[in-house]
Amino acid sequence: MNYSLEINTPEKQKSDCIVIPLFSDQLKSSDFTPVAKLINDCENGIIQTLIERKDFKGSACESLLLPIKEEQHQRLLLLGLGKQEELTAASFKKAIQAAIASIKTSQAESLLISLDGITVHNKTAELTTRFAIEAINDSIYCFDQFKTKKSDKPTFKDVSFYCGASINTTELKEAISIGSAISKGVSIAKDLGNLPGAICTPIYLAKEALQLAKDNELVSATILKEKEMLSLGMHSLLSVSAGSEEPARLIIMEYKGGSTSDQPHVLVGKGVTFDSGGISLKPGEAMDEMKYDMCGAASVFGTMNAITELKPKINVTAVIAAAENMPDGKATKPGDIVKTLSGQTVEILNTDAEGRLVLCDAITYAEQHFNPASIVDIATLTGACIVALGHHATGLLANNDEIADELLKAGMSAEDKAWRMPLWDEYQPLLDSNFADMQNIGGRAAGTITAACFLSRFAKKMKWAHLDIAGTAWVSGKNKGATGRPVPLLTQYILNKVG
Ligand code: BES
Ligand code: MN
Ligand code: ZN
């Protein structure tokens, strides 16, 4: 999809379909935006007539697609946004998706969306435009590579936005680039997540990284195989792949947009390409969804992609801990003790608490090799996070208030929200083990916090935060599919660092 900014005044524009949003409490023709006025005047007062006859009320998500005779535009889509002051990012995105649903079945090849005078409550015109792009991307996303009968693809390829006469053109163009880069990153993360575990293996993820490096001058990739990880002493990570036919990989991608001396910001992704639970086998129900246990890694891929498009002047290093968690004769057993790369030992009481076992070695590896300015790990780590926060907020835990605030702020502005939980020392003793330096589970209480407590023991020397995306990375049920979260949050977080 090509997204662009239309700077010409309404009468000079051209499109197959012009989308005019209207608020339900601004239906008087004197309230019309210049674009609405123009179309209304050229078409014998069509908008006014529809409003007077109450055929169009402007209520949220109402959409009306009409053929028009006006030379410049072939179709008009009136889109209801509800009351102006009630327009949130979520309701705005829903309305845009309703518009796309109507247009999808038409033959229009180009859209012109008028956002003149339309801003989401408490958000700028730039962010509003970004949300429109992300909403369009979400509604046209389709994962049908394994269906013999493909679903209909939308006919439109070009979407332009008209945002009025008094805009900051440079900033809006920038916002459109950011919106498209984030959208592409989200689609990449969704694709990787939706792929079956049999295809999206650690080796598959490693190939993705090599491809990204091949396509981008500013990115290099390094892949560590099991033999190298063994000689380094990454026994914790390797204990997870021990029962699998699929070998583990440590995948490193380095984006160098800053100067060589700049310390990199490190993103660590959990890439468990299938989590059966191992010997502590999971129950059968919805076990297919454990193909999504690499969504942390997928979000890092999506973010790295967005970054390579936007080219911020900063260094970002991705470390992906990729492994498959399976039971077999060589699998790790409850009660086994492993030595982590950091030297600390872990008693594995539950092989299903494997995310922290792969992440701890990846975090130590990052500390030893990259001198990180900061480190954020992203992981579908605990079912407990879904109990605590449901499916709207990503769990955030950090050993530093500054990085926590940066991530919360990025999530708020990009509309990909996180919520902080405590990481107090009081919780640490729950990990005490009789036989090793720590055990890998903390019991039933505060599961998300004890998981983060475990990781914090490997990030002591760094400014570190952990994002638990167990509840936000995918949706279950009839609309099962990856969400691409938290690519918007992470991309915004990186962009905010360059100002
Ligand atoms: N990948 C799961 C967490 C998960 C479960 C995410 C369901 C989303 C939906 C993780 O590896 C896991 O199994 N965690 C255990 C930890 C427990 C054994 C301490 C969990 O949450 O049950
Ligand atoms: Mn598990
Ligand atoms: Zn897992």
Side-chain angles (χ1 to χ4, degrees):
M1 197 62 58
N2 298 313
Y3 298 101
S4 58
L5 181 67
E6 173 65 65
I7 44 175
N8 284 317
T9 47
E11 65 276 10
K12 292 193 188 129
Q13 301 164 1
K14 232 180 154 118
S15 77
D16 286 355
C17 182
I18 179 162
V19 179
I20 301 186
L22 290 165
F23 291 112
S24 57
D25 50 355
Q26 288 185 11
L27 294 176
K28 280 196 242 115
S29 55
S30 54
D31 290 338
F32 282 3
T33 59
V35 183
K37 225 173 246 150
L38 176 90
I39 299 293
N40 189 56
D41 291 349
C42 294
E43 296 291 321
N44 293 324
I46 188 176
I47 302 180
Q48 231 177 325
T49 308
L50 285 162
I51 291 168
E52 277 162 17
R53 291 182 183 165
K54 299 212 163 26
D55 288 337
F56 184 80
K57 301 185 194 68
S59 45
C61 294
E62 182 183 358
S63 78
L64 198 54
L65 183 64
L66 306 153
I68 52 175
K69 292 212 186 70
E70 206 245 330
E71 263 175 45
Q72 319 286 97
H73 307 283
Q74 299 184 3
R75 299 169 188 80
L76 163 65
L77 186 106
L78 287 181
L79 179 64
L81 293 181
K83 285 194 183 146
Q84 182 179 28
E85 60 179 33
E86 286 170 11
L87 190 69
T88 62
S91 64
F92 176 66
K93 284 184 177 180
K94 262 201 191 140
I96 293 287
Q97 286 173 343
I100 298 303
S102 318
I103 298 165
K104 240 183 186 171
T105 50
S106 80
Q107 293 302 306
E109 286 174 20
S110 63
L111 310 185
L112 173 65
I113 303 180
S114 172
L115 293 179
D116 187 10
I118 310 288
T119 47
V120 171
H121 195 64
N122 278 334
K123 305 276 185 185
T124 59
E126 284 76 20
L127 276 168
T128 304
T129 311
R130 266 171 61 177
F131 296 151
I133 294 174
E134 289 173 37
I136 295 169
N137 189 62
D138 276 337
S139 43
I140 61 178
Y141 177 80
C142 154
F143 187 78
D144 61 3
Q145 55 177 289
F146 298 103
K147 296 213 184 206
T148 42
K149 196 165 174 294
K150 309 290 180 202
S151 39
D152 293 339
K153 304 286 179 298
T155 48
F156 63 93
K157 296 264 168 322
D158 297 295
V159 180
S160 54
F161 296 96
Y162 178 72
C163 302
S166 58
I167 51 159
N168 182 328
T169 312
T170 322
E171 288 197 358
L172 258 170
K173 281 190 177 159
E174 170 87 358
I176 290 173
S177 312
I178 297 173
S180 348
I182 289 179
S183 294
K184 223 177 270 177
V186 163
S187 295
I188 287 167
K190 285 183 182 178
D191 280 347
L192 287 172
N194 288 331
L195 281 172
I199 292 174
C200 187
T201 60
I203 289 176
Y204 184 95
L205 290 177
K207 284 188 184 147
E208 285 287 302
L210 292 170
Q211 190 61 45
L212 186 74
K214 214 173 145 196
D215 296 342
N216 291 280
E217 250 174 33
L218 296 174
V219 181
S220 60
T222 313
I223 313 296
L224 265 61
K225 297 187 176 170
E226 289 198 340
K227 207 170 143 201
E228 294 154 282
M229 289 193 264
L230 187 63
S231 62
L232 288 172
M234 304 180 83
H235 303 291
S236 182
L237 191 155
L238 291 169
S239 76
V240 173
S241 62
S244 171
E245 294 288 321
E246 295 291 343
R249 292 287 185 266
L250 190 77
I251 302 164
I252 295 127
M253 289 171 273
E254 289 173 88
Y255 165 82
K256 295 221 162 80
S259 70
T260 24
S261 59
D262 290 350
Q263 287 176 269
H265 292 275
V266 176
L267 303 176
V268 175
K270 173 179 174 184
V272 173
T273 57
F274 189 77
D275 179 15
S276 70
I279 296 299
S280 314
L281 194 64
K282 284 183 180 295
E285 198 191 325
M287 205 205 262
D288 67 290
E289 294 186 9
M290 282 299 113
K291 72 175 183 181
Y292 290 119
D293 213 16
M294 35 57 71
C295 281
S299 74
V300 173
F301 273 107
T303 304
M304 290 306 271
N305 250 284
I307 290 173
T308 59
E309 282 202 9
L310 298 168
K311 300 193 173 45
K313 291 189 169 53
I314 189 172
N315 294 336
V316 181
T317 299
V319 180
I320 283 161
E324 189 186 67
N325 187 22
M326 295 289 275
D328 97 334
K330 290 202 176 68
T332 301
K333 293 171 277 292
D336 286 354
I337 293 172
V338 292
K339 189 172 201 147
T340 62
L341 178 60
S342 74
Q344 301 176 87
T345 58
V346 178
E347 182 188 13
I348 298 174
L349 289 181
N350 189 321
T351 63
D352 197 12
E354 86 298 336
R356 59 200 82 180
L357 296 174
V358 298
L359 288 171
C360 69
D361 279 351
I363 290 170
T364 305
Y365 185 89
E367 184 201 331
Q368 293 177 349
H369 290 81
F370 303 121
N371 186 25
S374 74
I375 179 159
V376 179
D377 77 73
I378 306 98
T380 47
L381 206 63
T382 62
C385 194
I386 311 175
V387 178
L389 297 176
H391 299 283
H392 298 292
T394 290
L396 163 66
L397 299 102
N399 66 5
N400 172 287
D401 290 343
E402 202 183 343
I403 192 172
D405 289 343
E406 284 171 11
L407 288 161
L408 286 172
K409 193 176 138 224
M412 280 313 230
S413 77
E415 199 58 25
D416 179 8
K417 291 177 249 185
W419 194 254
R420 193 173 180 186
M421 297 191 211
L423 190 72
W424 298 322
D425 288 343
E426 289 92 318
Y427 293 97
Q428 291 285 354
L430 293 168
L431 296 172
D432 287 349
S433 157
N434 284 352
F435 305 108
D437 298 342
M438 68 195 90
Q439 56 190 40
N440 79 326
I441 52 169
R444 278 184 59 83
T448 303
I449 297 173
T450 52
C453 281
F454 182 96
L455 296 176
S456 74
R457 296 175 179 219
F458 301 85
K460 282 208 172 99
K461 293 180 211 143
M462 296 171 287
K463 201 168 158 183
W464 161 80
H466 159 64
L467 294 171
D468 194 329
I469 56 167
T472 51
W474 76 92
V475 290
S476 311
K478 207 172 157 308
N479 294 320
K480 192 190 291 176
T483 61
R485 290 181 67 181
V487 170
L489 182 159
L490 291 171
T491 309
Q492 187 69 59
Y493 163 75
I494 296 294
L495 292 179
N496 285 351
K497 291 194 174 294
V498 283

